[in-house]
Amino acid sequence: QKVHVLPQTVLYVADAETFSGHEECHEQKKARKRNSKETAIALEKLLPKRCQVLGLVTPGIVVTPMGSSSNQPQEIEEGEAGFALLFPKIDGVKIHTFHFSKDLKNRVFDESKFAEAGLKNNPDLRVVLLFGYNSWKSGATRFLHQIVNPLNEKSIILAGGQVESFTSLTSENNNAQPGDACGVVGLAFSGPQIQSATVLLDQDVADERTAEAAMQRLKAANIPERNTIGFMFACVGRGYRHYKTKRNMEADAFRKFFPNIPLFGFFGHGEIGCDRIVTGNFVLRECNDIKDDLLHGYTTVMTLIHLGSTK
């Protein structure tokens, strides 16, 4: 008897070429430019109607080809690539999508919207993955600070980066963002069984030895490796350019210390994260109530999310 597990939440990420490439039009027997909206709708039709879907477009992709969790993760900086993570119903875990767009009329963000998204007055909140879009717009950085600063608590992992655009957010009536808007989309993971840790690879991490030292810090967090996902959010200025033409350096360093944890992520236009671990209220780095600096450039954020033990 076949058992089908339906996804409740889906995060998919594709590079810009995948969403704006060409496809053959059978009627005209020639290639035509694909519309990103068409591609997003086609993907959503493959999923259950009640499924929460968040889709992102980024300059590059980090993916572990599936079939075996021990497959080697790959940093794909050029060419078409993408992945989709399908989360089923998990006992003791809640995953919510959210979207905050900059209000052109008001300079101050209404923090009551945090509560609606489960990001405030939620003692079980453990991890928030944040993705800014249209970061080149005037006021985008200031708006991102308005979102990140109230969430900068020791009991929460924040990780993510700046993407080119988002193509799907099915929890909203209108999936398309206004062309002149900037904002933040993301996923919030809540549940007392969730454990998570992040480390930041700054500009000084520029060779195999220092990359592996960062992975050792992440390993020292002692996050359970079963039922755990790795995320890598890197600057487009890193990759093989940063490591003197040596490719896949950071993904290989991750695999050396976590051979059975699949790694996913992207290359983007700015990174969100720091050195931090959440298992209860223990943190990897104490800062004496000083807020961590969470917004970076030319860095890589490595994150582990453990979703609890499976039966």
Side-chain angles (χ1 to χ4, degrees), residues 69-83:
S69 61
S70 62
N71 282 348
Q72 182 177 353
Q74 299 175 7
E75 300 175 19
I76 304 174
E77 299 181 59
E78 291 117 8
E80 295 189 15
F83 65 85

Side-chain angles (χ1 to χ4, degrees), residues 81-92:
F83 65 85
L85 297 178
L86 282 66
F87 296 94
K89 185 180 189 318
I90 304 171
D91 290 341

Side-chain angles (χ1 to χ4, degrees), residues 63 78 101:
V63 62
E78 291 117 8
S101 59

Side-chain angles (χ1 to χ4, degrees), residues 142-305:
R142 181 177 181 274
F143 181 76
L144 183 57
H145 275 286
Q146 289 181 323
I147 303 300
V148 168
N149 290 347
L151 297 174
N152 191 357
E153 301 176 9
K154 296 299 182 189
S155 58
I156 303 172
I157 290 289
L158 292 178
Q162 300 276 15
V163 301
E164 293 198 358
S165 63
F166 78 90
T167 56
S168 297
L169 194 63
T170 52
S171 61
E172 298 194 342
N173 293 327
N174 182 10
N175 292 346
Q177 76 264 29
D180 60 347
C182 61
V184 174
V185 294
L187 295 173
F189 295 78
S190 301
Q193 69 199 39
I194 295 174
Q195 297 183 38
S196 184
T198 62
V199 293
L200 179 72
L201 285 67
D202 61 23
Q203 295 183 52
D204 293 335
V205 178
D207 56 32
E208 187 174 14
R209 178 184 61 82
T210 51
E212 290 185 358
M215 297 308 119
Q216 283 182 309
R217 294 206 317 277
L218 190 59
K219 186 80 171 182
N222 289 322
I223 299 297
E225 297 187 15
R226 184 174 176 82
N227 204 22
T228 295
I229 304 172
F231 287 97
M232 172 178 163
F233 305 114
C235 178
V236 290
R238 290 182 75 88
Y240 71 88
R241 299 173 186 85
H242 180 69
Y243 288 102
K244 306 288 191 293
T245 72
K246 187 168 184 178
R247 294 179 180 269
N248 227 62
M249 177 76 80
E250 292 174 346
D252 285 346
F254 179 89
R255 185 172 187 259
K256 180 176 180 178
F257 289 90
F258 304 99
N260 296 311
I261 297 179
L263 182 68
F264 301 94
F266 58 75
F267 290 89
H269 302 295
E271 302 76 60
I272 302 169
C274 67
D275 282 10
R276 187 179 288 179
I277 174 177
V278 173
T279 54
N281 287 319
F282 170 73
V283 294
L284 184 65
R285 183 165 57 91
E286 292 287 357
C287 297
N288 300 320
D289 296 327
I290 298 173
K291 295 289 188 180
D292 289 323
D293 184 9
L294 293 170
L295 304 183
H296 310 277
Y298 299 103
T299 64
T300 297
V301 176
M302 286 286 190
T303 304
L304 296 176
I305 302 179

